[in-house]
Amino acid sequence: MLTSLLCSVLAASAPQAPRSVAPPCAAPQFAAPVRLRAGDRFVQVDEPGYAAPCWHDVDGDGAKDLVVGQFADGKIKVYRNLGGGKLAAGTWLEAGGKVAEVPGIW
């Protein structure tokens, strides 16, 4: 009880920040969406979707490649960065000479 009372008194007496102070984080700014082309096609995902795209330098050449997860079979498609804003056609990520799969829970 005494602790609650002291906390209430301290909170009420704490100096308040002036209303003109900007919030600590500004609202995020995003560019307009664009469809990416890879080879001669647009990048797309297999049904049912739920893609998890990210940029990672898969081949170690210093340029980040587009990596897109695929929900249904747990496969990952890699679109190699060719430079100049161009991507190669997608290929499945392989391990041990076979298409790699992340095991699911289904």
Side-chain angles (χ1 to χ4, degrees):
M1 172 82 171
L2 181 58
T3 303
S4 297
L5 180 60
L6 287 173
C7 288
S8 297
V9 170
L10 289 173
S13 65
Q16 299 297 316
R19 291 190 182 267
S20 63
V21 173
C25 296
Q29 300 292 316
F30 296 101
V34 296
R35 289 188 72 187
L36 297 176
R37 288 187 80 79
D40 60 351
R41 307 176 89 178
F42 287 111
V43 173
Q44 62 185 76
V45 297
D46 293 343
E47 292 291 332
Y50 308 118
C54 68
W55 295 95
H56 180 75
D57 184 8
V58 175
D59 53 11
D61 66 356
K64 292 189 177 184
D65 308 300
L66 178 62
V67 180
V68 182
Q70 187 254 8
F71 181 76
D73 295 323
K75 298 183 287 185
I76 299 171
K77 193 162 271 192
V78 177
Y79 299 90
R80 301 208 185 272
N81 188 335
L82 301 175
K86 296 186 181 204
L87 298 170
T91 58
W92 294 114
L93 181 70
E94 292 187 5
K98 298 192 305 191
V99 173
E101 293 183 18
V102 178
I105 57 171
W106 320 115

